[in-house]
Amino acid sequence: MPNHFVQFTAKVKHHLEVIYHDILTPSEIEILVPKLQHSIGVTGNDNCHYPTPHKNRWDESDIVMITYGDSIVENTEGVEFGFSQKPLKTLRRFINEYCDSIISHVHILPYFPYSSDDGFSIIDYSIVNQSLGDWKDIEAISKEYGLMTDVVINHCSARSQWFENFSKQEGIGSDYFFTASPDDDLSMVVRPRTSDLLKVVETPNGPKHVWCTFSHDQVDFDFRNPNVLIAFIDIIRLYLDKGTKVFRLDAIAFLWKVPGSPSINLPETHEVVRLLRTLIEHTAPEVIIITETNIPNRENLTYFGNANEAHAIYNFSLPPLLINTLVTGNCAYLKSWMMSMPPAQNGTTYFNFIASHDGVGLRPAEGLLDEQEIAELANCMQNFGGKVSWRKTDNGQQKPYEMNIALIDALKGTIKGPDQYQFQRFICAHAIMLGLEGIPGIYIHSLLGTPNDEEKVKNTGHNRGINRHRWDFAELISELEDKQSLHANVLSALSLLIRIRRSQPAFHPNAVQFTLQLGTEIFGYWRQSIDRKQSIFCISNVTDIEQKVRLSDINLIENSLWHDLIAEKTINQTTEFLCLAPYQTMWISNKATG
């Protein structure tokens, strides 16, 4: 029997030598290795797994629903947290009754006590926010669906016990946070916010200037201190024990800081991701890591490493490019980007999404759309009731960073203005996304067709609140039972698409994908199953007028029967053209499965 533990130990030691090459001595690294192994729970060959390289831990049936623990609540009665039923129980009930056949995984956004940023400023990583429920509620969901949990690893709340100990300069946490001097060269630091980078904190040892990438309530950790690393391995072990199957590494790109550098995507950050991958897969080889890096496309792709970092990366360029395609009626930029994207190696894949709890990031569109086109897109979203969040560049210039808008409203019209095709355009966006190489992630408010929540923006003062509506359960069920309501029609249409997608081998996340050249009004791509038995031609009219596609341009094999899986119709191969209504999608397959 091979001694996997010896190999595991050597890998962990190598990662630590790269990360701490100028910080820890060789003897200190030797001491750190068993501490990390103990924290993750791998202490010998008997409990050390050796992962199969390049193994796909997913298939075409995998669909992730993204939601807050309290996106749906019961009986709030106007009292904050005055729910008659804990929201996690309500969420589970909703999923079981309405989504059981269409999702495999649930990404519950941070479900811990927090002080700001709707959960991403965590006070205590070890307990469930009591307003949502408890660990039993989390475990109940994890037994029925794959649980995706955030590891908010870059920063925590300024109200956490760790940071209070830092302020007092005593106890656990007193040395957990990154400090710099105002005299340091911080001009190159890349950030997604316009607030001051450093926060002055009075301590018994004098004022400290704490690094805050996002806000002054979100204080950044100092991973140069190996005790911070150990603390997070303990957190990951806890989440594994509670049923987590997917880890989302939040804001991971900013993890390692060096004054005088951009302090984003540094080599040490990548090595920390590789270390986390090694530790996790040797204790739980089926668990996957997804990196959340809202950065330009080329930088984002680096988080695959050599199939030894993230199993999956967020496809951040997809949302702005797809929205731009549908509001302009021109798929040239989306098509060009698709052609430039490398196929993911086996054992890695893309995480596709077009809406989330955050806004639509614009940095991932940089270099793909020019500044004028980005400005026009942002202006269009503002015309549809959306907001724009800004960032400050290293020369002090403000640039649009994020568009904050519910997807159903983002697609209520074109650059010409609102029109009658909102529903069709919205379903078209999802049909395009669901067929692409990768695992689809669908935000709960997209499943429900939830519009802009302008009241929440007004009450919270935060632009992102526009797409973080909280549904009353009874009101939602009433809408879903009303077959004439937009919400019922959206859930029905998306459920149909998802059920079709989940039974097509050609939609495996790693199945072959090839971009079709059908002009700028028709966006198309071809997928082929790994066993090469099924092909699907995915074609979408991205305009508000009927379009014709010459059948010979799709190159269907003549001795096969071809079917539109969505319309459940056989393709007449004697015809010269296919006619697509505004925003219609066809999934043309040689196998009539569904």
Side-chain angles (χ1 to χ4, degrees):
M1 178 179 181
N3 195 327
H4 295 322
F5 185 70
V6 171
Q7 298 173 50
F8 171 55
T9 300
K11 287 183 72 174
V12 173
K13 181 181 177 183
H14 172 72
H15 294 313
L16 295 175
E17 287 171 342
V18 174
I19 296 166
Y20 296 111
H21 62 94
D22 60 350
I23 297 172
L24 299 182
T25 65
S27 60
E28 288 172 326
I29 288 174
E30 290 285 352
I31 293 170
L32 182 56
V33 171
K35 288 183 178 179
L36 294 179
Q37 292 174 321
H38 181 267
S39 289
I40 202 64
V42 180
T43 54
N45 209 42
D46 291 342
N47 61 2
C48 180
H49 298 270
Y50 204 79
T52 304
H54 301 289
K55 177 184 177 183
N56 295 325
R57 295 162 171 82
W58 42 77
D59 62 27
E60 60 273 13
S61 69
D62 285 315
I63 305 281
V64 180
M65 186 180 81
I66 305 162
T67 181
Y68 280 102
D70 60 355
S71 289
I72 307 172
V73 298
E74 291 184 76
N75 297 333
T76 59
E77 298 174 353
V79 179
E80 184 72 10
F81 305 142
F83 311 137
S84 64
Q85 179 79 279
K86 289 296 187 182
L88 286 171
K89 287 184 169 64
T90 303
L91 176 65
R92 181 178 170 226
R93 177 182 170 190
F94 168 76
I95 296 171
N96 286 340
E97 292 182 10
Y98 288 90
C99 305
D100 181 61
S101 67
I102 62 173
I103 68 167
S104 60
H105 290 68
V106 183
H107 175 199
I108 307 177
L109 292 154
Y111 44 83
F112 315 101
Y114 70 95
S115 56
S116 64
D117 198 18
D118 279 355
F120 286 89
S121 184
I122 295 178
I123 294 173
D124 190 333
Y125 289 80
S126 65
I127 60 175
V128 175
N129 186 338
Q130 64 178 2
S131 70
L132 299 177
D134 55 30
W135 279 119
K136 289 182 180 178
D137 297 313
I138 292 293
E139 290 178 283
I141 293 172
S142 75
K143 289 173 182 174
E144 296 171 336
Y145 306 93
L147 175 65
M148 182 167 164
T149 298
D150 286 278
V151 181
V152 184
I153 196 168
N154 178 71
H155 53 264
C156 73
S157 170
R159 288 176 47 194
S160 65
Q161 186 62 56
W162 284 345
F163 195 67
E164 287 185 16
N165 289 347
F166 173 86
S167 300
K168 295 184 290 188
Q169 291 288 281
E170 62 182 31
I172 297 174
S174 62
D175 54 356
Y176 275 17
F177 298 93
F178 195 93
T179 60
S181 166
D183 297 328
D184 289 335
D185 178 10
L186 305 177
S187 62
M188 296 174 62
V189 174
V190 174
R191 298 177 61 222
R193 299 291 186 271
T194 56
S195 58
D196 291 338
L197 175 62
L198 300 182
K199 167 183 177 172
V200 181
V201 179
E202 296 297 335
T203 77
N205 298 326
K208 303 283 186 182
H209 294 82
V210 180
W211 192 289
C212 300
T213 298
F214 292 92
S215 79
H216 284 192
D217 186 51
Q218 294 167 297
V219 285
D220 284 30
F221 290 109
D222 185 358
F223 271 83
R224 295 174 304 181
N225 178 356
N227 289 326
V228 176
L229 177 61
I230 293 170
F232 270 92
I233 301 307
D234 288 340
I235 289 165
I236 288 170
R237 180 68 256 176
L238 171 65
Y239 297 170
L240 284 169
D241 292 341
K242 300 302 182 182
T244 294
K245 294 296 187 292
V246 182
F247 286 106
R248 175 185 184 269
L249 301 184
D250 176 67
I252 187 69
F254 302 98
L255 184 81
W256 202 270
K257 296 96 168 132
V258 177
S261 82
S263 294
I264 186 171
N265 306 323
L266 295 184
E268 292 87 351
T269 293
H270 283 279
E271 197 66 38
V272 169
V273 176
R274 288 192 279 270
L275 170 62
L276 296 178
R277 165 88 174 248
T278 294
L279 291 168
I280 290 170
E281 66 185 4
H282 281 79
T283 188
E286 296 306 311
V287 168
I288 72 172
I289 294 172
I290 301 181
T291 49
E292 188 268 335
T293 47
N294 192 355
I295 52 180
N297 193 53
R298 287 188 178 183
E299 298 171 28
N300 191 29
L301 288 168
T302 64
Y303 283 86
F304 278 139
N306 186 24
N308 61 351
E309 292 188 35
H311 296 93
I313 62 172
Y314 272 73
N315 222 343
F316 273 109
S317 295
L318 177 61
L321 290 179
L322 183 51
I323 292 171
N324 183 72
T325 292
L326 291 168
V327 299
T328 63
N330 186 328
C331 67
Y333 293 111
L334 180 63
K335 185 167 59 175
S336 178
W337 167 74
M338 278 264 292
M339 293 170 63
S340 73
M341 292 293 282
Q345 297 183 53
N346 281 329
T348 66
T349 192
Y350 295 103
F351 185 71
N352 295 324
F353 72 108
I354 49 177
S356 75
H357 61 289
D358 288 340
V360 179
L362 290 172
R363 288 216 70 206
E366 292 176 7
L368 303 171
L369 301 175
D370 65 33
E371 289 191 9
Q372 180 63 29
E373 288 161 331
I374 289 174
E376 289 174 356
L377 178 60
N379 184 61
C380 180
M381 295 301 101
Q382 288 177 311
N383 290 338
F384 295 159
K387 312 291 182 183
V388 175
S389 299
W390 301 83
R391 70 180 180 91
K392 188 183 295 183
T393 64
D394 54 9
N395 62 5
Q397 181 185 4
Q398 285 205 341
K399 285 190 173 184
Y401 169 74
E402 184 177 84
M403 303 182 301
N404 305 107
I405 191 169
L407 186 62
I408 190 77
D409 283 332
L411 298 173
K412 67 172 21 172
T414 69
I415 54 175
K416 296 176 289 188
D419 60 24
Q420 72 270 38
Y421 293 116
Q422 179 181 26
F423 176 80
Q424 293 89 335
R425 195 178 287 111
F426 183 77
I427 300 305
C428 178
H430 285 89
I432 289 172
M433 187 268 285
L434 284 166
L436 291 175
E437 174 190 359
I439 299 170
I442 301 184
Y443 190 34
I444 190 170
H445 291 306
S446 292
L447 276 177
L448 300 174
T450 310
N452 291 337
D453 190 336
E454 296 174 1
E455 192 67 25
K456 190 159 190 176
V457 176
K458 190 183 303 180
N459 291 339
T460 64
H462 297 299
N463 288 349
R464 285 179 168 178
I466 202 167
N467 200 22
R468 296 178 178 180
H469 182 69
R470 180 183 286 166
W471 276 100
D472 174 77
F473 185 73
E475 178 188 353
L476 174 60
I477 299 310
S478 175
E479 289 285 346
L480 295 181
E481 296 303 315
D482 176 4
K483 302 308 178 186
Q484 302 302 312
S485 82
L486 174 66
H487 308 293
N489 284 316
V490 164
L491 181 59
S492 175
L494 291 183
S495 296
L496 172 64
L497 286 177
I498 293 168
R499 280 193 286 268
I500 295 171
R501 179 231 151 76
R502 296 187 76 189
S503 59
Q504 313 306 320
F507 284 150
H508 186 287
N510 294 87
V512 170
Q513 177 171 291
F514 183 81
T515 307
L516 302 176
Q517 302 300 320
L518 301 172
T520 59
E521 293 83 16
I522 297 289
F523 179 66
Y525 52 93
W526 171 71
R527 303 293 310 278
Q528 184 183 59
S529 60
I530 293 172
D531 64 9
R532 300 187 179 184
K533 293 181 179 179
Q534 185 187 29
S535 288
I536 300 179
F537 292 87
C538 305
I539 57 174
S540 298
N541 177 0
V542 299
T543 76
D544 56 5
I545 59 175
E546 181 180 277
Q547 299 289 337
K548 291 183 178 181
V549 178
R550 192 179 297 275
L551 206 58
S552 58
D553 289 343
I554 304 178
N555 196 27
L556 302 182
I557 298 172
E558 291 185 5
N559 60 357
S560 295
L561 274 177
W562 293 88
H563 313 267
D564 179 2
L565 299 175
I566 298 174
E568 297 184 313
K569 290 183 178 179
T570 299
I571 300 298
N572 180 1
Q573 290 183 253
T574 63
T575 188
E576 186 177 356
F577 294 100
L578 294 174
C579 292
L580 281 82
Y583 305 106
Q584 181 183 354
T585 293
M586 291 183 175
W587 286 344
I588 302 171
S589 173
N590 60 338
K591 289 183 176 292
T593 57

